[in-house]
Amino acid sequence: MAEQHRKMSLDSGWLAARSTEVEFSGTQLTTTHPPPPPPTTSPIPPWMNALVPGTVLGTLVKNKVIPDPFYGLQNESIIDIAVSGREHYTFWFFTTFHCSLLENQYCDLNFRGINYYADVYLNGHEISLDKGMFRRHSLEVTDIIHPDGHNLLAVLVHPPNHPGTIPLEGGQGGDHEIGKDVTTQYVEGWDWMAPIRDRNTGIWDEVSISVTGPVKIIDPHLVSSFSDDYKRAYLHTTIELENRSLSTAECSVSIQVTTEVEDDICLVEHLQTQSLSIPSKSRVQYTFPELFFSKPNLWWPNGMGKQSLYNVVIVIDVIGFGESDLWSHHFGFRKIETYIDDATGGRLFKVNGERIFIRGGNWILSDGLLRLSKKRYNTDIKFHADMNFNMIRCWGGGLAERPEFYQCCDNYGLLVWQEFWITGDVDGRGVPVSNPKGPQDHDLFLFCARDTVKLLRNHPSLALWVGGNEQIPPDDINAALKIDLRLHPYFEHADENGKPIRELSPMSKDPSQYLDGTRVYIQGSLWEGFADGKGNFTDGPYEIQNPESFFRDDFYKYGFNPEVGSVGMPVASTIRATMPVEGWQIPLFKKLPNGYVEEVPNPIWEYHKYIPYSKPAKVHDQIQLYGDAKDLDDFCLKAQLVNYIQYRALLEGWTSRMWTKYTGLLIWKTQNPWTGLRGQFYDHLLDQTAGFYGCRCAAEPIHVQLNLATYFIEVVNTTSEELSNVAIEVSVWDLEGTCPYYSVHENLSLLPKKVEPIAEMKYPKSENPKPAYFLLLKLYNMSDYRIISRNFYWLHLSGEDYKLLEPYRKKNIPLMITSKVSVQGSTYIIQMLVKNTSKSQYRKDLPYEHSSSARLMDGLYGTDSVEAAHNGTDKEHELSWFNRIHRSFFGKSDGLKVSEIKGYDVGVAFFLHFSVHDASKIGYKEGKDTRILPVHYSDNYFSLVPGEALSVNISFEVPLGVNPRVTLHGWNYNAEHNIL
């Protein structure tokens, strides 16, 4: 994130009080009657410790003045602003800070986001802040700062002008009144979200003090351009400089570009200094001469290459003063192109000249009460990268996301589609039609939009701007955005030969002189290559589907689907942690006359927007395919089985038509900003569902899969490299632990960026196929048996179900788990090797065991170790194998532990999953969750066939003094097995 020189964040020590309960004015609060300092026990009413950045509701929850609105039905006990009136959520925020100035120094008080407007008092002086949630405020307070350095700051924050009311029937955006203001629109509630009672009133983003010399740097713009097939790059830079002094400033302005070659060792790529003169009390724009880079390290999206970043530092020195200001930002050399693909009609994206098949998700925001943090952002975005996604869409009813969000996307390679604050439900759609002219103040909307562009435009992850969700902005706003965000000629679409649509020269301006100029502006999410491209409601569907439907020709007929969604039930521990006992009741399964089942959830689930696992008349209940759910744990476990299948099939179905029918898709949605029960891959407590790992599997860059419509085995290669000398191993395993079908397809070559059908899966057509069975696909290199892709299915014959898996839970399959722990500060890194030690009878000439072990080699073990393990048949060889693995572990070791789960059956160890807990808490007590979250797993919800082993890496942080324990569960491992 860009940082001003000598910047101090004001993120602690704040107090808050309801305005109607404070008897003093802002002038008095910041002069003669400041609030008393908070006592060590509890605050003195009406003042309480405040959450800044944050919202009024966040502060009230923090102080337990109101209950947690995300727990059970407690949100219903919190008074809504429509009932209380705006004054109830109009709050004072107060803090003190130390800042003293030297001669010729200047001070700014900066607010990066206030909702909705505020009156600011500093040391008795009043400054009014204009309306608008998505605008920055930078106030020069040089003459107000106290000479002794002790300063008092009070901010009276007012809610949005049109908070609206919540109709009894709910709805998308409540009564839509919120759309009259330039603010978040989800706060009146949606079909996935309960209303936010204060409508996010507060100082919701960073507050800071920055001190500069006479000249200040404002909003630099960095742009890269390329030539010679990306072997030559140019950095274009334009800045604004403001001279606040009463005399002309003679300056030298320098730009330095460095790259990190090793930890804490940087290489200076460029250092350029220019002289200029800036008149007194004036602003000037300055464009640096372009900087040339030979063979730069490029920034690539996740799955395409490294996310190489350079550090750009701009310094302004004033003669007679010295360093006046400094600005820095991480920057990535990359070029994004996008256009409507002739073959599919979908919008196609290219990065650095290479096509990228978009597989990503829709994002609302991290937390509904805007309790945003760098740490949470890092977890959120790493989760998306772990799922092998390459794009996140910031939906128009949510936020213009923060620089910290974008910094994480830069680091992990997630392209970002950023929408402005228009949604069809709130702006121009519905009965009656809502706000056809959008927000009341169009000039305010455009000011916020332009300011947002300046805030975010230097991030390489930012891919495109979109006017709104399922709606375009009003005509005048849309026309202005098209002009403001027009592309520089260099960034206009080139044809397949790389030639621009029109000549690039003469260029009227350096590209960094544009507001953006590098990213396309699309007027709405259903226009110009998305959905039907014409604005008709053609995204979705949003419910459970038969898995094979995603592969059928008629499932979705447009090239790029910006929203397709499904279920998202979390694990049982999350339900217990977020709901009282009455919320632990599973749905009633109501049999309908047509043979389908309707799920009837309890009222708490319904309030939390539960979406059922059946669609009567179209999709039979997918949980009941496994038999009747007995209780909450059983229901949630079966829901995870469905989650995995559902989302893997969704992505595999789309990917099977890569470039022939589709250019991409975005799943609705990846997470919930509260404790919702639909459309998520991890819950609000940051525990992943099995759908997370279904996506991770399906979206890997090179992937072997089964087309559920044609029953052909396919290989998807989304990379730019051709694969040769590879093979696919196909093995079917029945519930008795035998392998009734086995085949190997060898000497395959796979072209880049292509889906290749390999062979039809013959087993279901063979004699006496089992009604339910397991299928394991492995794509591997023939030269060293290294596994490139592994995919495990559980399947049933047409007209059958998975009920035979219920008695399979009694199978007692032996496991051996070797683990090694490394601790770095508060971070635990655990490496696991999990092996199904049951022995199956099958032909000894098959290469199965060789290839199944190859995945373990990836960066951790040597091939000889695996051969020793899998060729050995006695305990001596097993111990030799684990000793070899022990020697291969790197870093400081806390010892190697081998855990065994005894068993006497032969078969698949099915649906294994780890979890991490606080060892001091035994079992679950109401209100006490033993889990340590978040945890990053290299794999989870996995299955192992007889003799197979898999490595799993686990990392997490623990609070000081907490000892973690790792447990293993599985379909046929009902007891809790403590591994560490």
Side-chain angles (χ1 to χ4, degrees), residues 10 63 83 139 187 241 297 318-319 431 443 454 460 478 503 559 612 706 748 788 834 916 966 968:
L10 305 181
N63 288 278
V83 177
L139 312 174
V187 289
L241 298 168
N297 298 319
V318 176
I319 295 176
V431 180
D443 289 338
K454 291 178 182 178
N478 197 34
E503 291 298 320
L706 177 67
L748 302 175
I788 301 168
V834 188
V916 183
V966 179
L968 176 72

Side-chain angles (χ1 to χ4, degrees), residues 626-628 630 634 638 802-810 971:
Y626 297 88
D628 293 334
K630 301 177 184 64
D634 192 37
K638 288 173 178 173
Y802 294 117
K803 289 186 175 67
L804 287 175
L805 287 176
E806 186 63 34
Y808 192 74
R809 298 173 88 159
K810 298 178 181 178
W971 184 257

Side-chain angles (χ1 to χ4, degrees), residues 445-484:
F445 186 98
L446 287 169
F447 182 92
C448 289
R450 290 162 184 149
D451 198 54
T452 296
V453 173
K454 291 178 182 178
L455 177 68
L456 303 176
R457 63 190 177 184
N458 293 316
H459 290 278
S461 56
L462 178 56
L464 75 160
W465 303 102
V466 178
N469 166 62
E470 298 172 354
Q471 184 62 289
I472 63 175
D475 290 345
D476 59 326
I477 293 178
N478 197 34
L481 289 173
K482 287 180 178 179
I483 294 172
D484 287 343

Side-chain angles (χ1 to χ4, degrees), residues 655-703:
T655 307
S656 70
R657 303 298 181 87
M658 180 176 69
W659 313 129
T660 59
K661 185 178 180 183
Y662 301 126
T663 58
L665 79 155
L666 299 173
I667 296 175
W668 183 266
K669 52 193 177 352
T670 55
Q671 45 75 248
N672 274 301
W674 77 308
T675 50
L677 300 180
R678 64 163 62 194
Q680 60 187 356
F681 298 125
Y682 58 94
D683 59 47
H684 193 58
L685 305 182
L686 298 176
D687 199 356
Q688 301 98 328
T689 72
F692 182 105
Y693 297 96
C695 284
R696 180 184 176 89
C697 172
E700 57 187 349
I702 301 170
H703 180 62

Side-chain angles (χ1 to χ4, degrees), residues 340 345 523 525-536 538 558 560:
I340 298 176
Q523 60 185 350
S525 67
L526 301 177
W527 280 259
E528 303 175 70
F530 298 123
D532 76 345
K534 301 175 183 177
N536 296 305
T538 46
Y558 306 108
F560 193 119

Side-chain angles (χ1 to χ4, degrees), residues 137-382:
H137 306 270
S138 186
L139 312 174
E140 189 192 337
V141 294
T142 305
D143 296 334
I144 303 175
I145 294 294
H146 277 160
D148 65 2
H150 182 66
N151 299 280
L152 287 75
L153 173 63
V155 185
L156 181 63
V157 181
H158 303 269
N161 287 340
H162 302 89
T165 59
I166 313 302
L168 289 177
E169 66 274 15
Q172 313 294 73
D175 66 355
H176 310 134
E177 282 291 292
I178 197 70
K180 293 180 178 179
D181 296 327
V182 184
T183 184
T184 49
Q185 298 187 354
Y186 76 90
V187 289
E188 280 199 64
W190 226 267
D191 60 5
W192 41 264
M193 183 76 190
I196 303 298
R197 301 306 187 187
D198 70 341
R199 308 297 189 263
N200 281 343
T201 300
I203 306 173
W204 68 277
D205 200 5
E206 180 186 78
V207 187
S208 66
I209 289 290
S210 55
V211 177
T212 70
V215 178
K216 174 184 176 182
I217 299 170
I218 302 172
D219 290 331
H221 188 198
L222 310 175
V223 175
S224 57
S225 64
F226 300 91
S227 62
D228 193 19
D229 195 25
Y230 297 90
K231 295 183 180 68
R232 299 164 64 90
Y234 304 88
L235 177 62
H236 309 263
T237 309
T238 293
I239 61 176
E240 273 193 272
L241 298 168
E242 181 183 12
N243 179 5
R244 305 196 224 186
S245 71
L246 296 175
S247 58
T248 298
E250 301 298 332
C251 309
S252 65
V253 59
S254 64
I255 182 170
Q256 177 178 284
V257 184
T258 61
T259 183
E260 188 174 288
V261 290
E262 292 181 24
D263 291 341
D264 300 324
I265 300 176
C266 293
L267 173 68
V268 177
E269 295 272 356
H270 275 284
L271 176 59
Q272 183 187 94
T273 303
Q274 303 288 322
S275 298
L276 65 156
S277 180
I278 306 175
S280 65
K281 296 292 182 180
S282 65
R283 279 194 185 193
V284 299
Q285 180 176 288
Y286 176 73
T287 301
F288 283 92
E290 63 187 29
L291 299 178
F292 167 69
F293 294 77
S294 178
K295 298 180 180 179
N297 298 319
L298 300 181
W299 183 92
W300 291 97
N302 188 33
M304 294 183 72
K306 292 183 179 180
Q307 290 74 53
S308 298
L309 294 170
Y310 291 76
N311 191 37
V312 178
V313 179
I314 298 171
V315 178
I316 181 81
D317 281 284
V318 176
I319 295 176
F321 179 84
E323 184 180 295
S324 182
D325 201 4
L326 176 149
W327 179 93
S328 66
H329 203 289
H330 283 105
F331 179 75
F333 283 97
R334 65 98 182 93
K335 182 178 181 180
I336 294 177
E337 301 167 84
T338 178
Y339 54 90
I340 298 176
D341 177 46
D342 291 336
T344 64
R347 181 155 290 275
L348 188 146
F349 289 83
K350 288 174 125 180
V351 179
N352 302 332
E354 291 194 14
R355 288 184 299 173
I356 175 173
F357 188 72
I358 298 297
R359 293 177 290 189
N362 285 266
W363 165 272
I364 312 303
L365 68 164
S366 185
D367 178 73
L369 300 188
L370 302 187
R371 294 168 294 195
L372 311 177
S373 70
K374 293 180 183 179
K375 186 175 182 180
R376 172 121 190 174
Y377 272 138
N378 188 72
T379 298
D380 281 318
I381 304 310
K382 187 178 188 310

